Amino acid sequence: MHMPSHDTDPGSDDYLVSRPHAWFAFAMTFALMLFDYIDRQVIVSLFPYLKAEWLLSDKQLGGLVSIISVVVAVGSIPVALVADRLSRVKSIVAMALVWSAATTSCMFAGSYAQLFTARAVVGAGETGYGSVGAALIASIFPRRLRSALLGAFFAAASLGSVLGVVLGGVIAARFGWKAAFGVVGIPGLLLALLYLLVRDYKTVELTPKLNQATQSASKLAAHITGTLLRTRTLLWACLGAPMQLIVVAAIWSWLPSFLNRYHGEAPDVAAKHAALVVLCGAVGSVFWGAVVERAAAGRPKVRLQIMAALCVLTLIIFATAFGALPQGTQQFKLILLGGFVMSCTVGPVTAVVFDVVHPGLRSTGGAVLSLFQNLLGLAVGPFIAGVMSDWWGLNTALTVIPCFSVLAAVCFLMAMRNYESDINEVAHVKLQAAPAGAPAPERVPA
């Protein structure tokens, strides 16, 4: 039986589909994001084992994390464009099947090169998932819930990282590091099949100009470049987001090793304590998303002002923790606070981007953000921290890395200047829900 479609227009703020369908879609999208990051981050708790067994440098270890972000960045826009024009749901199913199978294959790696290649395939599967999943959530829920729900969605990345780090440490201590990949890879395969039950929204017909821009890679690249230069909010948001994620990725990737080397904790214990910091990030992502949305109600610019202030606060906390305090309980408590604050931008910055891009290309707009986040943020953080660690020591590296948060703050303040006018440029476009059980998303005129 088909549920009736819900149309949205600039004056409405309602669910695009029925509430049960919307919340089921959110739960499934959240669950897959959880396993996305379990599979991505399980490796960081295995660093001590890999370093000992294969005699790897910190730069090489960081590369095992960064390669996923590089691959995601390269493929995010083409994958998201396909999802926007064909099917968000089927694209997500295909992505989840690939990254879950590739994660399982890591347990058979017999050398650094083989493991590096398998991790690259994990990245190929994860390409586009964050942007496509976020576009689906942003489109079927009321706008008033957007920042909070996107914050919660991206909090799944933090929770997944927590579980990945903890499970990796515990499983490796008992069964060896290779077993960890097999345990975390299989559940994603099952979730991918269940995701076929999620309702999509109708593909929005593009204007002739936009439709022509999507016909070839060169035209699409030219259109994206022109849009970034013309839509200054999008440009500055795409520059600010990765600057903050450099800090997040570095802390997530290297904190287990920091606790192992400087606090003298066993790898599995260090993994559990590092997971607490990541868990604080998950809570912070939801909390700050809700706080920013409430404070910015009717005042869009306030969203960017608060984000900038929280980025500066991130620098102050981590610079004090790693640069001024001795190793011990007080230092770890301050690191926990930094973990709570540092994920402040993930939900609000995605809401900002979706506010200023054409609804018919939301997945693609999210993919542009994802490209910047992965290539300039998530890929850079673990690698550059590893390089700094080889040069100066890990403690100094983690003291210096948070300076990137200041650059993020500057970018968000620059984005604020054109935010309201850029919102008005796309406020007229309508969305409609696709019928339940439809074989492919129908199209609705722009």
Side-chain angles (χ1 to χ4, degrees):
M1 179 176 180
H2 293 316
M3 296 294 295
S5 296
H6 297 243
D7 295 353
T8 62
D9 59 59
S12 71
D13 190 25
D14 200 1
Y15 290 85
L16 188 66
V17 298
S18 67
R19 290 193 181 193
H21 278 102
W23 285 106
F24 175 72
F26 176 81
M28 290 299 302
T29 309
F30 180 95
L32 276 180
M33 189 66 154
L34 189 75
F35 277 94
D36 180 329
Y37 272 81
I38 288 175
D39 294 355
R40 182 183 290 211
Q41 292 296 120
V42 67
I43 199 167
V44 302
S45 60
L46 310 180
F47 279 179
Y49 302 96
L50 293 167
K51 190 176 185 70
E53 183 171 335
W54 290 341
L55 303 177
L56 302 179
S57 68
D58 285 350
K59 181 173 70 174
Q60 288 175 305
L61 292 172
L64 292 172
V65 179
S66 296
I67 183 58
I68 289 183
S69 298
V70 171
V71 174
V72 168
V74 170
S76 59
I77 292 177
V79 170
L81 181 62
V82 171
D84 263 332
R85 308 324 304 151
L86 298 178
S87 170
R88 273 66 52 185
V89 169
K90 291 179 181 178
S91 298
I92 286 173
V93 170
M95 286 185 272
L97 289 173
V98 171
W99 89 58
S100 299
T103 297
T104 305
S105 75
C106 290
M107 68 187 297
F108 303 108
S111 67
Y112 178 80
Q114 291 175 0
L115 183 58
F116 187 86
T117 301
R119 293 283 290 175
V121 178
V122 173
E126 293 179 355
T127 295
Y129 177 69
S131 55
V132 178
L136 185 65
I137 292 170
S139 298
I140 65 177
F141 279 91
R143 183 176 177 181
R144 65 181 183 275
L145 300 178
R146 188 175 293 170
S147 284
L149 285 176
L150 289 173
F153 170 58
F154 288 111
S158 300
L159 290 173
S161 297
V162 169
L163 292 173
V165 171
V166 171
L167 288 172
V170 171
I171 296 168
R174 288 164 174 74
F175 306 107
W177 63 265
K178 291 186 177 182
F181 292 111
V183 171
V184 303
I186 294 174
L189 297 172
L190 302 177
L191 283 173
L193 298 177
L194 286 175
Y195 203 88
L196 289 168
L197 299 176
V198 170
R199 283 190 70 183
D200 208 340
Y201 60 87
K202 291 182 180 180
T203 297
V204 180
E205 290 285 3
L206 302 179
T207 63
K209 182 178 179 180
L210 282 175
N211 189 60
Q212 185 179 16
T214 62
Q215 298 304 307
S216 70
S218 59
K219 291 180 179 179
L220 180 61
H223 173 72
I224 290 172
T225 301
T227 300
L228 283 169
L229 295 176
R230 184 176 62 256
T231 311
R232 294 304 176 92
T233 303
L234 179 62
L235 174 63
W236 287 112
C238 286
L239 291 175
M243 295 301 101
Q244 184 69 1
L245 286 182
I246 287 175
V247 182
V248 174
I251 297 297
W252 281 9
S253 298
W254 287 107
L255 191 57
S257 294
F258 173 82
L259 295 174
N260 173 246
R261 298 178 193 179
Y262 292 88
H263 287 226
E265 297 179 352
D268 57 332
V269 176
K272 292 177 183 177
H273 287 164
L276 292 177
V277 177
V278 182
L279 182 60
C280 285
V283 176
S285 180
V286 180
F287 176 81
W288 294 118
V291 167
V292 170
E293 192 61 34
R294 180 177 292 272
R299 300 177 297 167
K301 291 183 178 181
V302 173
R303 179 183 287 123
L304 290 160
Q305 291 173 339
I306 296 175
M307 289 162 59
L310 291 171
C311 288
V312 174
L313 182 59
T314 300
L315 167 63
I316 294 172
I317 293 172
F318 281 131
T320 303
F322 292 109
L325 295 182
Q327 283 81 35
T329 303
Q330 294 303 315
Q331 182 192 51
F332 185 69
K333 288 180 179 178
L334 196 56
I335 293 172
L336 285 172
L337 178 61
F340 178 72
V341 176
M342 70 179 179
S343 59
C344 56
T345 64
V346 291
V349 76
T350 308
V352 168
V353 168
F354 287 159
D355 279 346
V356 300
V357 299
H358 189 284
L361 290 174
R362 269 191 182 147
S363 293
T364 308
V368 173
L369 175 63
S370 178
L371 185 152
F372 281 85
Q373 287 175 319
N374 281 278
L375 196 59
L376 300 183
L378 296 176
V380 170
F383 182 78
I384 197 172
V387 172
M388 289 181 179
S389 177
D390 286 336
W391 288 348
W392 306 322
L394 187 54
N395 189 85
T396 301
L398 294 180
T399 304
V400 174
I401 281 287
C403 293
F404 284 96
S405 291
V406 175
L407 297 178
V410 171
C411 290
F412 292 140
L413 292 178
M414 294 296 292
M416 186 178 65
R417 297 188 301 177
N418 300 96
Y419 188 25
E420 292 180 351
S421 60
D422 287 339
I423 289 175
N424 292 333
E425 287 293 321
V426 295
H428 65 284
V429 182
K430 296 182 180 181
L431 284 178
Q432 294 180 11
E442 299 177 28
R443 297 179 182 269
V444 58

